[in-house]
Amino acid sequence: MADQVAIVTGASRGIGFAIAQRFVAQGTKVAITGRDADALAAAVTQLGGEDVALGVAGKGDDADHRSAVVDAVNERFGPVTTLVNNIGINPAYGTLATLDLNAARKMAEVNLIGTLGWVQEALRGGLSEGGSVVNISSVSGVRPAPGIAFYGTTKAALIHLTEELAVELAPRIRVNAVAPAVVKTRFATALFEGREEQVTATYPLKRLGVPEDVAGTVAFLCSPDASWITGQTIVLDGGVTLTGVVE
C-alpha cells in the first residue's frame, strides 16, 4: 500500500490513531483529523513525522474543515485514495423518551451527515478508480443498545449509507463498514470503567476489544486482498452479539 494516500478522521488517539499507525506501517501516507491541535501534533510525531503524516485540526461536521483537509492532503501527498470515517459522538445517555432533541440533531449531524460530507470531499479530492472507503459503525447499529439508543440509530443509518454508497460508487470505489463492540478507548470508558470484569463476562472471547483489533480489519478492507468486497459490515465484537447485551 506504499502508493496510497489515506484520510483517517478522529485519529489523534484510540481507534483512529491505531488505524493510522497500521497504514503508516504498510507504507501509506496518512492525514489525521481531530479537534485538538496539540494532540494531533503529538500523534503525527508518533506516526513518524511530517514525511508520512499530516494533522489538520477541526470539527468533523464543519464543511470548511473537510474541504481544508482534502486540499492539504492533495498539496502534501497527492490525490486521496483511501478514506476512513471514524468521527462519532454520543453526548447523551438514557432513554429515547427523555432524549434532548438538540443532542439527537448533533449526533445525526456528526455521525451521519458529516460522514457523507467526508465522502463527498474525498471524491472531489481524487478518490477514484481502486479507491476505498471504510465507515466505523458500531454493534449498537446492528442490534438494540439500551442507554445509547439514538447513537445506535445513527450507526444503523451509517450501515445503510455504506450500502447505498457501495452501489453508487461501484465499480470504481469500494465502500465497507466495521461495527465494533466495546473497545478500550477513552470514548468508551463509561461503558466499562469500574466494571470491566462484569462486562467482559458476557463476551465469549472473554475480553474487550482494543484499537488494534479494529485497525487490522480496516487495513484488510482497504487492501487489494479485499478487492471483491463492497457494501459489507464486518462485526467486531468478541462474540457478544451472539450471547450478550450490547451496551
Side-chain angles (χ1 to χ4, degrees):
M1 296 178 68
D3 59 341
Q4 303 297 301
V5 176
I7 295 174
V8 184
T9 66
S12 62
R13 54 184 169 84
I15 290 172
F17 180 71
I19 293 168
Q21 279 187 310
R22 184 63 176 260
F23 281 165
V24 169
Q26 295 178 339
T28 298
K29 302 293 193 301
V30 177
I32 59 174
T33 76
R35 289 175 290 179
D36 187 329
D38 291 339
L40 279 175
V44 166
T45 298
Q46 286 183 268
L47 289 170
E50 296 183 355
D51 288 341
V52 297
L54 167 69
V56 184
K59 296 181 179 179
D61 57 339
D62 180 346
D64 290 338
H65 167 63
R66 296 193 294 262
S67 178
V69 170
V70 170
D71 288 345
V73 169
N74 271 267
E75 183 177 345
R76 175 77 64 84
F77 298 134
V80 179
T81 66
T82 305
L83 172 66
V84 179
N85 286 303
N86 182 53
I87 55 171
I89 61 169
N90 181 31
Y93 185 88
T95 66
L96 289 172
T98 60
L99 178 64
D100 181 339
L101 294 183
N102 287 326
R105 291 186 187 96
K106 186 65 174 178
M107 278 188 271
E109 187 69 33
V110 174
N111 299 355
L112 184 61
I113 298 172
T115 294
L116 177 57
W118 279 110
V119 173
Q120 291 176 341
E121 280 297 325
L123 290 169
R124 180 184 69 82
L127 186 65
S128 60
E129 192 74 33
S132 179
V133 176
V134 176
N135 298 321
I136 308 300
S137 183
S138 166
V139 290
S140 65
V142 176
R143 58 184 289 182
I148 56 172
F150 195 78
Y151 172 79
T153 299
T154 66
K155 291 299 188 175
L158 182 58
I159 289 172
H160 189 73
L161 178 66
T162 298
E163 295 169 349
E164 294 284 5
L165 286 168
V167 173
E168 281 194 15
L169 299 179
R172 298 179 304 118
I173 299 165
R174 298 182 300 105
V175 186
N176 292 290
V178 297
V182 177
V183 176
K184 295 178 70 172
T185 65
R186 188 187 306 176
F187 178 78
T189 298
L191 299 177
F192 66 87
E193 189 174 44
R195 57 191 189 97
E196 183 173 342
E197 185 175 345
Q198 175 187 346
V199 175
T200 302
T202 65
Y203 285 65
L205 293 185
K206 301 305 178 188
R207 70 171 177 88
L208 302 182
V210 294
E212 291 75 16
D213 291 323
V214 182
T217 301
V218 171
F220 163 71
L221 288 172
C222 294
S223 77
D225 288 337
S227 62
W228 209 43
I229 300 175
T230 197
Q232 302 304 304
T233 297
I234 309 299
V235 176
L236 309 173
D237 70 344
V240 71
T241 54
L242 301 175
T243 62
V245 175
V246 174
E247 293 193 74

